[in-house]
Amino acid sequence: MTPAAPLEARQVRPVGPLVIAIEDVAKLYQMGEETIHALRGVSLNIHRNEYLAIMGPSGSGKSTLMNMLGCLDTPTSGRYEFNGQDVAGMADDELADIRNREIGFVFQTFNLLARSDALRNVELPLIYAGIAPHLRHERARQVLENVGLGNRIHHKPNELSGGQRQRVAIARALVNRPSIILADEPTGNLDSKTGIEILALFEDLYEQGNTLIVVTHEESVARNARRIIRLHDGLIASDGPVN
Amino acid sequence: MGRILYELTESIRIAMAQIRANKMRSTLTALGVVIGIVAVTLMGTAIRGIDIGFNNSLAMLGEDVLHVEKWPWITGEDWWKYVNRPVIKPEEATRLSRIIDATPNSELELAVYVHGRGGSVKAGNLSVSGVYIFGTTGEYGRVLTADFTDGRMFNDAENDSARQVCVLGYDVAQALFPGRSSIGNTVMVQGQPFTVIGSLTKQGSFLGLFSFDSQMIMPLSAFRKYFGVRSGNPEIQVKVRDKTRMAQASDELTGDMRRVRGQLPGEPDNFTINTSDAFKEKLDPIKRGIALAGLFVTGLSLFVGAIGIMNITFVSVRERTKEIGTRKALGARRRTILLQFLIEAVSICVVGGTIGLALTYGLCMAVKAAMPAFPLQFSVSLIVVSMVVSVATGVLSGFIPAMGASRLDPVVALRYE
Ligand SMILES: Nc1ncnc2c1ncn2[C@@H]1O[C@H](COP(=O)(O)OP(=O)(O)OP(=O)(O)O)[C@@H](O)[C@H]1O
Ligand SMILES: [Mg+2]
C-alpha cells in the first residue's frame, strides 16, 4: 500500500539509551485441556529513538508481544525491564502508572471516547497523571495543533474522518511525553492515502526523537521503520535493519 | 491529591453525559428509588405534620391546665377501677381554690368547675348540633385559651343569679348568625332562651377530630338547672402558674385534692388528674405504625430500585468494556474505574431521589391546597435524609458491578467487541 520513501533520502538517527530489555519471555494461554504457546522465548532490546516494526503472519504472537511491551500484560516466564525497572512482577496499579507515564498507545480501531470531543480525549492521560485543568487544556491543545488538528479540537469523534480520528489518538498517545509509542495496525482501518499521511506523521515523530513500535502485517508499512522484527509461531524469526 | 479530585470531576462529568445519553433508561431504572424516596418523605411529612398538629392542639387544650376528673382520658380494660369513684362536685372546686390561695408559693393559680355535655343550639330556623355545651363560673375567663372577637365573659353575679346568658364558639356563632354579630341575639338550648353576650375567635380542631370552635359556655347554675347535675362530664380545671413545672403542679394538686376529699394515707386516689400528655402516649403507637409502614414500603421499593440499578450498571460495564480497556491502557487505576461506575450508579439514584422529592413536595402542596387541616409538613431535614438514602442506595447497588469493571484485565477488555 504505502511505498516507503527512498532509503537514501531517509535519515537513520543514532539510537539512545536502552528502554526495553526482554529476555526469554514466554506467554502461555490455557484453553481447557490445550496450552497455547503465544510466545515461546523471545529476547529483544529496544533503545530510545528507534523506529521498529513487528511483522508476522496472523496468530504468530504480534499482539501478545505488543501487550507485553506495553505493560498491559505480564509474561508467564522470562524477564522484562522497562527503563531498568523489573515489570514482570508488578501489581495492576503500578503497571497502570507505567502505562500512563511511559507508554503511548495507538489502536487500529482508534478507541476514542465517543461522547468526548478531541480535546477531552487527548486530556484523558493527563487526568490520570494528576495534571491541573488549565495546564491540561493547554498541553492537549498544543499537541492537537502539532498533529494538524488545531482547528478541530472541539469535534466529537463522529464529526471527524478516520484519518483525523487516528491523529487524535496519536495526539493522545503523545500528550504525556512517553518513552515509547506503541501502534497496533495503526493504518489497518484507513484507506491507503490516509494511511500514507499517518505514516508521514510517524516519520515526523521519529525525526523529533520519539521511539516508535508499529505492529503490522503489511510489508509496505513495515518498510517505513528502521528495524523489522519478524515473528513466527511465537519466536523471533529475524531481527534486522530495513534494507 | 489533585489526581483524585480530577478523576472525581471527570467521573461526574462522564456519569452526567451517560445519563443524558440514556434518559429513558436512566429514568426507568431510577423509578424504584423515586418510589422509595416518595415513601420515606411522605412518611416523614406525615409524622412531622402529626407532631405539629398535635402541639397546636395541645396549645388549644391549654398546655398550662390540669383537669381533675373521675375518669382518665385514656382508659382501657381497667375502666372498672374508676366506675365507683365519687362524682366531682362544685364545692370541691371552691375548696380547692381556697387551699391554693392559702398555700404560699403555690404552683397553682386557680381552680374552676366545668360541667359539660353535647347538645344542639338553635336560633330562628337555624340549628347546630354536636355542640359542646358547658356551664362554668365567671373565673373560667382566666383559663380560656381563645380570645373574644366580640362581647365578654359572664360575671359571677350573672352566674349566681342563673342568668340565661352565653358565650358562643366561632363555628356556632358563624352557623347561627352568618355574616353578622351574634351579640344581643337569642339562642335556644333545651327549649330555653339564652342571650348571647360574647363570641370567641377561631381556634381550630384537635387533631382534626374535635373542634374547639363548636362550643357554648353558660353560667354553671343555668346549666345545672336545665341539664341536671347527673348528666355529662363534670371536672375541675386548674390553671398552673408555670407550664414548665407541670409535674410539680400535678403533685401539689393531687395532695390538695386528697385533702379536699379527706382521703387517708395509703388509700388510692379516687380521682384522676388529666393533662394533655395523656394524648401524647396515645399518639406514639400511631406514629410508630406510620413509620413502620413507611419503612416497609421504602425498604421494599429501594431494594427493587437497587436491583434495577445494579442491573443497569452491569449493562453499562458490558457496553463500555472496550472503553474500560482503553482507559486502563491510558493509565486508569482500578480505583479510577471503580469510582467512575460507582458515581454513575449514585448519580442515577440521586436523580431518582430528586424526582421523588419533587413529587412529594408537589403532593404536599396539593394536599395543603385541598385540605388545609391535613397534617403534612415538608422540611429541610427530609431533603438531607432523601439524599443520604439515595447516595447509599447507589453505592450499595453499584459496588459489585463497579468492582467487576475495575478488575477487568485490560487485554481482555480491549479485545471485547
Ligand atoms: N486471551 C487469549 N486466550 C487464548 N489464546 C490466545 C489469547 N490471546 C491470544 N491467543 C492465542 O495466541 C496466539 C497469538 O495471538 P496474537 O493475538 O498475538 O496473534 P497476532 O500475531 O496478533 O495475530 P493477528 O495478526 O491475527 O492479529 C494465537 O494462537 C491466539 O489464538
Ligand atoms: Mg494481532
Side-chain angles (χ1 to χ4, degrees):
Chain A
M1 147 189 134
T2 319
L7 272 182
E8 59 278 12
R10 303 194 305 176
Q11 54 159 309
V12 177
R13 293 167 56 88
V15 299
L18 192 64
V19 179
I20 288 174
I22 63 176
E23 208 177 289
D24 204 23
V25 157
K27 182 75 187 180
L28 307 184
Y29 289 110
Q30 201 67 43
M31 297 284 284
E33 294 286 277
E34 200 185 353
T35 306
I36 296 163
H37 294 257
L39 294 175
R40 296 168 183 273
V42 172
S43 299
L44 188 61
N45 285 337
I46 301 172
H47 295 82
R48 189 167 289 269
N49 209 196
E50 279 202 82
Y51 186 175
L52 179 78
I54 298 174
M55 292 204 68
S58 186
S60 58
K62 302 186 296 292
S63 294
T64 308
L65 178 58
M66 186 87 179
N67 292 337
M68 209 80 74
L69 294 177
C71 297
L72 285 167
D73 210 350
T74 48
T76 314
S77 68
R79 221 167 46 76
Y80 179 11
E81 279 184 11
F82 193 103
N83 281 338
Q85 279 180 286
D86 181 18
V87 170
M90 278 190 181
D92 270 17
D93 284 350
E94 292 176 287
L95 290 174
D97 288 350
I98 295 238
R99 292 195 293 268
N100 181 245
R101 285 193 311 260
E102 307 285 357
I103 297 160
F105 288 94
V106 177
F107 303 96
Q108 178 173 356
T109 50
F110 321 135
N111 293 22
L112 298 176
L113 303 188
R115 286 195 238 292
S116 304
D117 63 15
L119 195 67
R120 285 268 178 205
N121 267 288
V122 176
E123 272 184 50
L124 202 53
L126 298 176
I127 292 176
Y128 298 146
I131 312 272
H134 60 283
L135 290 175
R136 220 156 68 198
H137 296 314
E138 189 43 42
R139 213 149 112 194
R141 208 184 45 72
Q142 186 68 49
V143 178
L144 276 166
E145 227 156 65
N146 291 351
V147 300
L149 288 177
N151 55 349
R152 293 281 190 282
I153 61 171
H154 290 305
H155 286 233
K156 299 264 172 69
N158 63 0
E159 298 158 352
L160 294 168
S161 74
Q164 288 169 334
R165 286 184 211 181
Q166 196 59 303
R167 279 169 194 273
V168 175
I170 291 169
R172 185 176 65 183
L174 288 169
V175 75
N176 231 356
R177 301 189 188 115
S179 296
I180 59 170
I181 292 159
L182 283 175
D184 195 350
E185 302 277 9
T187 59
N189 277 20
L190 300 173
D191 60 52
S192 54
K193 180 173 164 291
T194 317
I196 292 169
E197 284 169 21
I198 294 295
L199 289 172
L201 179 56
F202 278 2
E203 189 65 32
D204 289 344
L205 295 179
Y206 171 63
E207 278 165 19
Q208 287 159 24
N210 288 291
T211 311
L212 300 168
I213 304 172
V214 177
V215 169
T216 181
H217 61 271
E218 283 182 84
E219 196 67 36
S220 57
V221 172
R223 294 193 67 79
N224 284 274
R226 302 298 186 271
R227 174 184 171 195
I228 298 181
I229 289 173
R230 289 176 203 277
L231 280 183
H232 201 275
D233 207 11
L235 284 169
I236 293 182
S238 74
D239 178 357
V242 176
N243 42 43
Chain B
M1 197 57 240
R3 178 170 173 179
I4 290 237
L5 190 72
Y6 306 147
E7 283 176 4
L8 211 68
T9 42
E10 159 80 0
S11 296
I12 292 171
R13 203 182 59 78
I14 296 279
M16 289 305 143
Q18 200 62 22
I19 289 176
R20 237 177 290 125
N22 301 304
K23 282 192 200 73
M24 197 62 189
R25 186 169 97 177
S26 308
T27 314
L28 286 178
T29 309
L31 214 57
V33 180
V34 172
I35 295 170
I37 294 301
V38 167
V40 79
T41 47
L42 270 188
M43 177 189 84
T45 53
I47 290 179
R48 253 186 80 81
I50 288 177
D51 268 341
I52 289 179
F54 181 70
N55 288 337
N56 290 345
S57 300
L58 286 192
M60 282 176 229
L61 266 184
E63 286 168 289
D64 55 352
V65 177
L66 298 169
H67 301 252
V68 183
E69 290 176 70
K70 176 176 172 181
W71 297 93
W73 280 346
I74 315 289
T75 50
E77 299 290 290
D78 51 353
W79 61 271
W80 51 269
K81 281 198 250 171
Y82 314 112
V83 70
N84 286 326
R85 286 174 167 182
V87 171
I88 309 276
K89 294 182 205 63
E91 311 82 79
E92 290 172 335
T94 317
R95 281 160 62 195
L96 214 46
S97 278
R98 225 173 287 141
I99 292 174
I100 290 169
D101 288 343
T103 308
N105 300 324
S106 175
E107 302 280 356
L108 312 171
E109 195 176 324
L110 84 156
V112 184
Y113 190 79
V114 173
H115 190 172
R117 54 163 290 170
S120 57
V121 184
K122 295 190 190 75
N125 50 7
L126 293 174
S127 166
V128 198
S129 57
V131 177
Y132 188 68
I133 301 167
F134 61 92
T136 184
T137 57
E139 280 176 321
Y140 185 76
R142 288 164 66 190
V143 181
L144 194 60
T145 51
D147 295 325
F148 282 82
T149 44
D150 231 343
R152 57 174 179 87
M153 187 67 188
F154 47 80
N155 54 37
D156 287 340
E158 286 164 321
N159 186 35
D160 292 345
S161 56
R163 285 278 301 280
Q164 288 177 219
V165 292
C166 69
V167 172
L168 296 183
Y170 182 83
D171 285 354
V172 181
Q174 285 296 305
L176 297 179
F177 308 101
R180 62 198 171 97
S181 173
S182 54
I183 307 297
N185 287 293
T186 301
V187 296
M188 301 297 289
V189 177
Q190 294 285 92
Q192 293 295 321
F194 285 80
T195 307
V196 182
I197 59 164
S199 75
L200 302 174
T201 53
K202 190 171 177 59
Q203 297 191 78
S205 65
F206 183 76
L207 298 178
L209 303 172
F210 171 83
S211 174
F212 285 94
D213 299 316
S214 184
Q215 62 179 9
M216 174 188 178
I217 313 172
M218 63 172 70
L220 181 63
S221 46
F223 182 91
R224 286 164 72 90
K225 187 165 163 193
Y226 297 113
F227 285 96
V229 294
R230 303 214 161 271
S231 74
N233 174 44
E235 61 167 325
I236 300 171
Q237 293 193 8
V238 181
K239 193 171 166 68
V240 174
R241 288 187 195 279
D242 179 357
K243 69 178 174 187
T244 62
R245 297 175 57 82
M246 292 302 275
Q248 291 90 330
S250 181
D251 286 347
E252 186 188 329
L253 181 56
T254 305
D256 293 350
M257 190 62 192
R258 286 177 71 90
R259 257 175 79 193
V260 166
R261 289 221 159 149
Q263 287 199 281
L264 299 173
E267 208 181 323
D269 297 343
N270 58 9
F271 55 92
T272 297
I273 296 178
N274 285 316
T275 63
S276 41
D277 280 350
F279 288 105
K280 237 173 213 155
E281 280 157 34
K282 191 79 174 167
L283 214 61
D284 279 341
I286 299 176
K287 288 200 291 188
R288 257 203 303 282
I290 293 176
L292 223 61
L295 230 54
F296 180 73
V297 176
T298 306
L300 202 68
S301 49
L302 283 181
F303 182 70
V304 172
I307 287 177
I309 282 158
M310 189 183 289
N311 185 48
I312 215 71
T313 311
F314 271 122
V315 170
S316 187
V317 168
R318 172 144 316 172
E319 278 176 352
R320 289 153 67 200
T321 301
K322 194 163 184 172
E323 178 191 318
I324 295 168
T326 306
R327 286 177 181 274
K328 288 200 155 197
L330 299 180
R333 290 187 193 166
R334 284 189 173 181
R335 165 194 88 194
T336 316
I337 303 293
L338 180 81
L339 210 62
Q340 184 185 331
F341 284 95
L342 263 189
I343 285 178
E344 208 171 303
V346 168
S347 302
I348 293 178
C349 287
V350 168
V351 167
T354 310
I355 295 174
L357 262 181
L359 282 180
T360 305
Y361 186 74
L363 222 62
C364 283
M365 288 298 123
V367 167
K368 211 163 232 164
M371 291 177 282
F374 201 79
L376 281 182
Q377 191 69 38
F378 203 78
S379 70
V380 178
S381 60
L382 279 180
I383 299 176
V384 175
V385 166
S386 340
M387 285 302 122
V388 168
V389 168
S390 304
V391 169
T393 309
V395 169
L396 288 179
S397 54
F399 190 77
I400 292 173
M403 198 66 189
S406 77
R407 293 183 157 199
L408 276 175
D409 179 344
V411 176
V412 173
L414 276 169
R415 212 192 283 270
Y416 191 89
E417 286 305 326

